[in-house]
């Protein structure tokens, strides 16, 4: 049994970031009553499951035998979730006032 630490790290990172963003999306969907935010939350739940099942496979191949995910798709999934995370936490520039020179 060999545990690839890079894949374990990616799986844990994907599951953790996705779980955090899922809770943010669910809170926003319930506050603003927007169905699109609910759809984003559902997609993030799938990313959370992907990361968790991949982590289960790496840590316990006996129980997670069918959930192996190669490193390349994990890197792409982590990249997609990281871009979403950055876009959510990035501060917008304050709007300019109407006064000119």
């Amino acid at each position: 049994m060999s545990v690839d630490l890079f894949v374990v790290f990616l799986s844990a990172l994907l599951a953790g970031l996705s779980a955090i963003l899922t809770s943010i999306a669910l809170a926003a969907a319930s506050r603003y009553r927007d169905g699109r935010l609910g759809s984003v939350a559902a997609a993030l739940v799938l990313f959370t499951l992907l990361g968790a099942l991949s982590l289960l496979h790496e840590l316990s191949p006996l129980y997670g035998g069918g959930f192996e995910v190669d490193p390349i798709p994990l890197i792409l999934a982590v990249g997609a979730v990281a871009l979403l995370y950055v876009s959510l936490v990035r501060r917008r520039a304050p709007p300019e006032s109407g006064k000119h020179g």
Side-chain angles (χ1 to χ4, degrees):
M1 175 176 113
S2 78
V3 174
D4 188 4
L5 292 178
F6 182 65
V7 175
V8 169
F9 173 73
L10 285 175
S11 299
L13 185 64
L14 179 62
L17 279 178
S18 298
I20 291 169
L21 288 176
T22 299
S23 64
I24 292 170
L26 286 174
S30 68
R31 178 178 178 156
Y32 297 113
R33 306 272 189 247
D34 190 355
R36 293 175 293 179
L37 290 171
S39 298
V40 169
L44 287 166
V45 166
L46 294 177
F47 275 122
T48 303
L49 285 173
L50 175 70
L53 291 175
S54 176
L55 187 62
L56 176 68
H57 170 75
E58 289 298 320
L59 297 179
S60 176
L62 179 65
Y63 296 109
F67 303 119
E68 180 179 10
V69 179
D70 289 331
I72 301 289
L74 275 177
I75 291 171
L76 292 175
V78 168
V81 171
L83 285 173
L84 183 60
Y85 186 81
V86 168
S87 71
L88 286 176
V89 299
R90 184 186 71 192
R91 289 196 167 257
R92 293 185 180 185
E96 290 196 24
S97 65
K99 298 177 185 178
H100 292 283

